[in-house]
């Protein structure tokens, strides 16, 4: 293991076995929402509400590193604690042979997808949760039920599946012959006449876009999307201290309220 304290982050280069240590897994599980998955690495951003847990992790990390290199960790720990507000990047020390993880996809209907693994895999499930968090209805350590109602949700789902490598895991997706026909059942009967029927004013089209719903979506679909998005962008959910991010979340929340109110009246 190597640790480098850069001016803008803590860089940890280690073997994959260290990522499986209990103290490391506990820390990463807590930061799933603030984690970016990179090739052979993960980047963990600051979360002010988890400051204490972050300091506990840095202490464990310092002890582990000192034991490996046979020196007292107290001085090194004091240096690391000065970086508590910086991101932590954890990357693999060397390229390992990819391990194939099979992920099975099953469509109950056009609105609901079940994702299952043959056995628990923290990294793969954390990746899927981080990408589909808004749409996950429930889940376990080997399964997720995802609401893919609307084209925006389906697009997000497709983008999540495009990434096939998580650290040294290679994801192999499997699905039955009916998966695509169920998931995209709306397109089976779609015609130009349907497109004309749902023509809306530019303003209303903008409202549908904000709510991440297709033009002409039902009241139920609008309500479901509104509730999900307001949970994500509610000011109380903001963990960022960056003024730009706070402004972004607040504006998005206000736009959601305006769009839902307008479409409820129109509908």
């Amino acid at each position: 293991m190597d640790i480098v304290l850069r001016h803008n982050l803590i860089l940890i280069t280690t073997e994959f076995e260290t990522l499986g240590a209990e103290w490391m897994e506990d820390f990463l599980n807590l930061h799933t929402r603030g984690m970016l998955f990179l090739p052979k690495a993960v980047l963990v951003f600051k979360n002010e509400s988890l400051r204490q847990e972050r300091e506990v992790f840095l202490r464990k990390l310092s002890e582990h590193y000192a034991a490996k290199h046979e020196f007292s960790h107290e001085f090194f720990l004091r240096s690391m604690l000065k970086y508590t507000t910086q991101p932590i990047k954890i990357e693999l020390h060397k390229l390992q042979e990819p391990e194939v993880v099979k992920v099975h996809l099953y469509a109950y209907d056009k609105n609901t997808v079940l994702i299952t693994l043959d056995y628990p895999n923290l990294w793969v499930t954390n990746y899927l949760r981080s990408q589909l968090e808004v749409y996950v209805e429930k889940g376990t350590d080997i399964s997720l039920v995802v609401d893919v109602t609307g084209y925006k949700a389906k697009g997000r789902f497709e983008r999540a599946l495009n990434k096939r490598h998580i650290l040294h895991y290679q994801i192999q997706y499997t699905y039955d012959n009916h998966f695509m026909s169920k998931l995209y059942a709306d397109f089976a009967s779609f015609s130009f006449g349907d497109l004309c029927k749902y023509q809306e004013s530019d303003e209303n089209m903008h409202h549908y876009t904000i709510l991440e719903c297709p033009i002409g979506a039902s009241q139920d679909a609008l309500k479901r999307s509104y509730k999900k998005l307001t949970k994500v962008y509610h000011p109380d959910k903001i963990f960022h201290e960056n003024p730009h991010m706070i402004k972004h979340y607040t504006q998005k929340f206000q736009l959601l309220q305006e769009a839902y109110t307008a479409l409820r009246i129109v509908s």
Side-chain angles (χ1 to χ4, degrees):
M1 171 186 283
D2 294 311
I3 300 176
V4 178
L5 303 179
R6 295 182 176 176
H7 71 281
N8 59 345
L9 61 78
I10 299 174
L11 175 62
I12 304 168
T13 307
T14 186
E15 304 294 337
F16 191 80
E17 289 74 15
T18 306
L19 297 182
E22 185 177 357
W23 52 273
M24 179 74 79
E25 287 192 349
D26 289 344
F27 173 73
L28 295 173
N29 275 332
L30 289 171
H31 290 77
T32 302
R33 292 183 61 182
M35 190 185 300
L36 178 64
F37 289 82
L38 303 169
K40 296 192 299 175
V42 291
L43 185 63
V44 183
F45 296 101
K46 173 191 175 185
N47 185 331
E48 188 59 37
S49 67
L50 296 172
R51 184 182 182 89
Q52 184 176 350
E53 287 79 0
R54 187 186 184 95
E55 291 182 1
V56 170
F57 168 74
L58 292 178
R59 180 172 292 277
K60 293 284 188 182
L61 177 65
S62 177
E63 291 174 354
H64 179 79
Y65 185 63
K68 286 266 186 186
H69 295 273
E70 299 182 347
F71 64 81
S72 174
H73 81 98
E74 292 299 332
F75 176 78
F76 188 68
L77 175 63
R78 285 196 295 272
S79 299
M80 280 207 299
L81 290 177
K82 296 177 181 178
Y83 288 76
T84 53
T85 61
Q86 299 299 333
I88 298 174
K89 184 179 182 182
I90 306 171
E91 64 181 19
L92 295 180
H93 184 64
K94 62 180 180 180
L95 182 63
Q96 296 179 253
E97 188 68 22
E99 178 182 339
V100 176
V101 176
K102 289 188 177 181
V103 177
H104 310 290
L105 308 175
Y106 176 78
Y108 289 113
D109 50 41
K110 65 181 181 181
N111 298 324
T112 311
V113 171
L114 172 65
I115 303 174
T116 58
L117 284 71
D118 291 330
Y119 54 88
N121 186 298
L122 174 70
W123 296 101
V124 174
T125 52
N126 274 351
Y127 165 71
L128 292 170
R129 284 182 181 277
S130 70
Q131 298 300 302
L132 301 170
E133 180 184 22
V134 180
Y135 306 104
V136 173
E137 292 189 330
K138 57 184 177 180
T140 67
D141 58 348
I142 61 169
S143 68
L144 295 173
V145 176
V146 184
D147 183 351
V148 291
T149 304
Y151 305 126
K152 184 72 174 182
K154 286 182 172 62
R156 183 65 174 268
F157 178 69
E158 291 170 3
R159 287 194 296 274
L161 301 188
N162 282 336
K163 181 172 258 187
R164 302 297 180 94
H165 293 89
I166 306 297
L167 294 172
H168 84 296
Y169 293 115
Q170 180 178 346
I171 304 176
Q172 186 179 94
Y173 293 104
T174 66
Y175 48 87
D176 62 25
N177 294 332
H178 304 291
F179 178 74
M180 298 300 288
S181 59
K182 284 183 179 180
L183 193 62
Y184 296 99
D186 285 343
F187 290 98
S189 58
F190 190 79
S191 68
F192 180 74
D194 294 322
L195 180 62
C196 295
K197 181 174 64 176
Y198 289 126
Q199 288 299 311
E200 297 275 354
S201 69
D202 289 343
E203 183 179 1
N204 286 336
M205 288 176 66
H206 179 61
H207 292 324
Y208 283 114
T209 301
I210 291 172
L211 289 170
E212 300 184 0
C213 287
I215 297 171
S218 67
Q219 281 284 291
D220 287 342
L222 291 172
K223 187 175 182 179
R224 283 196 300 269
S225 185
Y226 171 74
K227 285 186 174 182
K228 283 185 177 180
L229 292 171
T230 50
K231 285 181 180 179
V232 175
Y233 289 99
H234 194 284
D236 292 343
K237 299 290 185 181
I238 301 175
F239 292 122
H240 298 275
E241 292 186 342
N242 188 317
H244 173 73
M245 291 302 298
I246 294 174
K247 182 179 179 181
H248 170 69
Y249 272 64
T250 303
Q251 288 179 340
K252 178 70 173 181
F253 184 73
Q254 291 172 345
L255 288 172
L256 288 168
Q257 291 179 311
E258 292 171 6
Y260 184 57
T261 300
L263 292 179
R264 284 181 64 194
I265 295 172
V266 171
S267 298

